[in-house]
Amino acid sequence: MSPQPTGISDTAQDVEFSERLIAPDGTRVNNPTLDSLVADVDAAQLRALHRDMMILRRIDSEGVALQRQGQLGLWAPCQGQEAAQIGTARALDPVDFVFPSYRETGVIYARGAEPGDFVRVWRGEEGAAFDPLQMRVAPLQIIIGAQTLHAVGYAMGIKHEGAPEVAVTYFGDGATSQGDVNEAMVFAASYQAPVVFVCQNNHWAISEPVAVQAQHPIAGRAPGFGIPSMRVDGNDVLACLAAMRWALAHARTGKGPAFIEAVTYRMGPHTTSDDPTRYRDPAELDAWRTRDPIARLEAHLRAIGEIDDEQVAASHADADRMAREMRAACLGMVTREPLAVFDGVYAEPHCGLDRQREEYASYIASFEEA
């Protein structure tokens, strides 16, 4: 399950060396490694995946618009990465626990996020956008790679308790250069923790191309830690679903951790504070547009006669409805009183916290006096 490419592209990450089920033109590709993992997926399920990706792209564009209009402090776009997120997230069991980075909008959507959950943190209203226990998703993590350690620690607890769940952590190609990710893999392999590592290789760590930090496919690193890996076409939602099913089955049956590298592309900026035109060749962006994950699945469904204009229009309507609800939730949020930041920090009263609350209250009052 750890395919070794026979060659490296100019970017050191040529997607052609990845496992695939649907080609960019929509053609279904036979794949002995993945076919059996998705043998049960019918046309209705494929249409549902297509709808999911359409809604996710609309959520993402609305997040960018809200930030540009001053309603959000920041937004981390995921355009182009819809298949990697929806495909892997839809393979999860309800009991599994996810440890995301800050770009996994599609993952929290698939786990049942409400419209306001997509914007609450980016608007600065709360430290966590949703109830982690209810959604089985840890709060979005800004510190690069830190969530991988959290996931492994949680997975070690799963193993200790003999629970049926799996911990899953998402991170980007840039995070693989962080010590946290490598330390997490050491612990996961040493303790055979039931955790799945999902690296969304979107080719850019802010302005740093992946070829600078990875001279060989990132999936090739995991076997060095004793972790089986699979490199998959991250713009092929069906292949991503299959890869995640393989990884989850491996971890859930007591075989230890598994690693997926989903080779995809970040079509937009790193965040809304970034200008990718300063470091990215427009020709590269144009090349990746031909591999668009939504257009690819739609082309496949049309080729087999399982989707029409009316069904696509209905998905567009659903996506627009979600965007409207998201915007309404954002604009309707009421900012808490400043001292509320101390609420819920500790379960029991804490004298140190009381002192900090008093000092902060005095600081706020000083502005009123002035």
Side-chain angles (χ1 to χ4, degrees):
M1 283 293 183
S2 302
Q4 297 300 314
T6 56
I8 304 298
S9 73
D10 291 340
T11 62
Q13 299 293 335
D14 196 332
V15 71
E16 300 304 325
F17 292 117
S18 306
E19 300 287 355
R20 172 185 289 168
L21 285 168
I22 300 176
D25 64 0
T27 304
R28 179 67 163 85
V29 179
N30 292 326
N31 186 307
T33 301
L34 302 181
D35 281 335
S36 63
L37 293 165
V38 290
D40 63 312
V41 177
D42 58 19
Q45 290 169 292
L46 289 176
R47 283 193 298 271
L49 292 171
H50 180 261
R51 174 182 177 273
D52 283 342
M53 291 193 292
M54 288 182 66
I55 291 175
L56 172 56
R57 182 162 292 185
R58 186 66 183 85
I59 290 171
D60 190 59
S61 65
E62 190 67 18
V64 172
L66 285 166
Q67 192 281 329
R68 297 306 190 209
Q69 294 161 11
Q71 297 299 330
L72 302 179
L74 193 72
W75 183 263
C78 63
Q79 182 186 358
Q81 298 180 225
E82 293 88 357
Q85 295 192 15
I86 294 298
T88 55
R90 284 305 187 195
L92 299 172
D93 281 358
V95 297
D96 296 333
F97 209 106
V98 178
F99 294 81
S101 72
Y102 46 82
R103 201 184 303 279
E104 274 69 59
T105 308
V107 177
I108 66 171
Y109 161 76
R111 298 297 276 179
E114 297 294 330
D117 296 341
F118 299 110
V119 295
R120 193 168 289 109
V121 163
W122 301 118
R123 192 173 169 87
E125 302 293 354
E126 299 281 353
F130 42 78
D131 183 342
L133 293 180
Q134 180 181 358
M135 282 180 51
R136 308 291 290 171
V137 181
L140 303 180
Q141 179 58 253
I142 297 296
I143 301 173
I144 305 300
Q147 71 276 11
T148 60
L149 289 169
H150 305 159
V152 173
Y154 188 91
M156 290 168 67
I158 292 173
K159 185 173 183 180
H160 178 73
E161 295 179 355
E165 60 191 288
V166 172
V168 178
T169 182
Y170 289 81
F171 50 95
D173 48 287
T176 63
S177 294
Q178 292 283 345
D180 285 4
V181 175
N182 294 277
E183 292 159 13
M185 288 197 284
V186 168
F187 270 84
S190 297
Y191 292 94
Q192 288 295 283
V195 59
V196 174
F197 296 92
V198 182
C199 173
Q200 291 183 82
N201 175 2
N202 67 15
H203 283 73
W204 289 96
I206 309 183
S207 60
E208 192 79 358
V210 69
V212 173
Q213 59 186 338
Q215 298 302 308
H216 296 275
I218 294 171
R221 298 180 185 180
F225 292 94
I227 301 174
S229 68
M230 181 183 292
R231 191 166 193 259
V232 66
D233 185 338
N235 284 15
D236 177 354
V237 69
L238 187 60
C240 289
L241 177 72
M244 194 59 151
R245 284 181 170 183
W246 159 75
L248 289 169
H250 180 91
R252 207 183 307 280
T253 53
K255 298 177 182 177
F259 187 104
I260 296 171
E261 178 193 359
V263 184
T264 181
Y265 194 78
R266 190 196 78 211
M267 301 298 289
H270 174 71
T271 68
T272 46
S273 64
D274 170 46
D275 178 8
T277 64
R278 298 179 63 182
Y279 56 80
R280 190 164 63 184
D281 185 346
E284 180 179 287
L285 186 63
D286 290 340
W288 277 92
R289 290 190 194 283
T290 65
R291 298 168 176 173
D292 184 275
I294 300 176
R296 176 185 307 203
L297 182 56
E298 184 173 328
H300 172 67
L301 286 167
R302 287 186 182 277
I304 61 176
E306 290 293 349
I307 201 169
D308 55 32
D309 291 345
E310 184 177 345
Q311 290 167 314
V312 173
S315 293
H316 272 298
D318 290 342
D320 287 339
R321 186 179 307 110
M322 172 64 84
R324 288 194 300 271
E325 293 175 358
M326 174 179 160
R327 174 172 287 272
C330 178
L331 300 182
M333 288 180 180
V334 178
T335 301
R336 298 183 299 165
E337 292 298 319
L339 291 176
V341 298
F342 296 97
D343 297 343
V345 177
Y346 289 98
E348 301 294 335
H350 189 285
C351 61
L353 195 66
D354 291 339
R355 175 180 55 79
Q356 292 175 22
R357 184 192 296 267
E358 292 173 1
E359 292 176 351
Y360 189 43
S362 177
Y363 172 71
I364 293 172
S366 70
F367 290 95
E368 299 173 358
E369 294 168 2

